[in-house]
Amino acid sequence: MSCVAMAWLCSSPLSHALLPCRRPVTYLFTHRSFISTGGILFSLGRCKPPKPLVYAQARRISTSKSKAEQVASAADLQFEAPLKIVEYPNPLLRAKNKKINTFDDNLKKLVDEMFDVMYRTDGYGLSAPQVGINVQLMVFNPAGEQGEGEEIVLVNPQVSRYSRKIIPFNEGCLSFPGIYGDVKRPDAVTIDAQDITGARFEFKLTEFPARVFQHEYDHLLGILFFDRMTDEVLDSIRADLQAMEKKYEESTGLPSPETIETRKTRKAAVGFGKS
């Protein structure tokens, strides 16, 4: 387990409610304790002494829901195992993700499969759209290793507050294999979500877990990590993104649904929501 992940597990106010990682996982959580962060990789020193976890001053943000919020049907939650990672520029990464209102055995099986593909691809977590399922669901293990740490689930997460303190960090993403770049994000967030049983809870994250959550939460909004990069950082990975666009066209026989050139003027602002 990484030193940063261990520090968070030990200092988190939710640590008393987290269940040990084991396979098979039951996911029958009854405490207000689920957290999850999605398909993201970091070039983070895994054994550097972690900084003290300090909650930065936060400010309220709007969490108003769309009047026409879409709810996932049984068909939306159907899947075939094994799941596969959806890579840029597949349009599923930009599609609207529906709210989950059904908490049943199928959802638990989907969560289990998501953890499996997350571990197979060396991720700390994974969002449902990254495996082609457009619903508001993410899974997370801060240790990033099967059999270590805690396996956590977030359903229908919402951000209620985020920090004024903005910091850069070198991020990667399972949907962009081998591509890394600095992204600026708030240092702390307060989150409202549901667990695998549908119970609602609220909690705070800071530093590494907060960043991973924000990356994955962006996926649920249809935002990709390069949308938040500066022009300078974006230029450093432009050729890699163009190569992925070309690969998509060659493998599907279809034109790329988006290109890095057209996204240049549509970058997301620091914080939450689309610019």
Side-chain angles (χ1 to χ4, degrees), residues 17 21 41 75 112 115 119 123 138 141 147 150 177 183 207 228 275:
C21 173
L41 300 171
D112 196 48
F115 273 119
Y119 292 128
M138 58 174 86
N141 182 347
E150 312 293 341
V183 178
E207 297 191 343
R228 297 190 181 277
S275 57

Side-chain angles (χ1 to χ4, degrees), residues 54-262:
V54 178
Y55 290 108
Q57 182 179 2
R59 59 190 175 94
R60 178 74 58 180
I61 65 171
S62 173
T63 56
S64 58
K65 298 181 180 179
S66 169
K67 294 181 180 179
E69 186 174 42
Q70 295 181 317
V71 176
S73 66
D76 292 322
L77 288 161
Q78 291 303 306
F79 65 93
E80 292 185 6
L83 298 173
K84 296 181 180 180
I85 298 295
V86 171
E87 296 184 359
Y88 173 82
N90 192 304
L92 291 174
L93 293 174
R94 297 291 191 183
K96 183 175 178 62
N97 295 295
K98 299 179 181 179
K99 181 178 180 180
I100 295 173
N101 275 358
T102 302
F103 300 84
D104 57 9
D105 288 341
N106 182 69
L107 182 61
K108 295 172 186 176
K109 291 176 183 178
L110 173 57
V111 165
D112 196 48
E113 290 294 330
M114 288 177 64
F115 273 119
D116 285 343
V117 70
M118 182 192 80
Y119 292 128
R120 290 201 309 269
T121 52
D122 296 323
Y124 285 99
L126 192 68
S127 69
Q130 287 184 280
V131 290
I133 303 173
N134 289 115
V135 297
Q136 297 177 26
L137 171 67
M138 58 174 86
V139 300
F140 174 55
N141 182 347
E145 298 288 344
Q146 184 172 352
E148 298 183 20
E150 312 293 341
E151 293 185 334
I152 308 161
V153 179
L154 282 182
V155 183
N156 304 324
Q158 296 287 328
V159 175
S160 59
R161 295 169 68 88
Y162 67 92
S163 172
R164 296 176 186 271
K165 181 180 178 182
I166 306 298
I167 57 175
F169 197 87
N170 192 247
E171 293 186 10
C173 179
L174 294 178
S175 293
F176 296 78
I179 299 178
Y180 299 87
D182 283 351
V183 178
K184 294 181 179 180
R185 298 188 188 274
D187 187 54
V189 289
T190 300
I191 303 154
D192 177 81
Q194 290 171 275
D195 64 26
I196 200 66
T197 70
R200 187 168 295 282
F201 59 97
E202 184 180 74
F203 62 99
K204 294 181 180 180
L205 291 176
T206 63
E207 297 191 343
F208 178 77
R211 175 167 293 271
V212 181
F213 166 80
Q214 290 174 73
H215 178 109
E216 200 57 21
Y217 184 66
D218 272 355
H219 275 298
L220 300 186
L221 299 177
I223 297 173
L224 303 178
F225 76 143
F226 72 80
D227 294 333
R228 297 190 181 277
M229 294 179 182
T230 65
D231 290 340
E232 181 180 6
V233 174
L234 193 58
D235 284 341
S236 72
I237 65 168
R238 187 178 302 277
D240 294 322
L241 296 176
Q242 291 172 333
M244 293 193 73
E245 294 162 6
K246 182 178 181 180
K247 178 182 176 181
Y248 176 88
E249 293 179 338
E250 292 175 345
S251 63
T252 65
L254 301 172
S256 178
E258 67 175 282
T259 69
I260 183 57
E261 298 305 321
T262 60

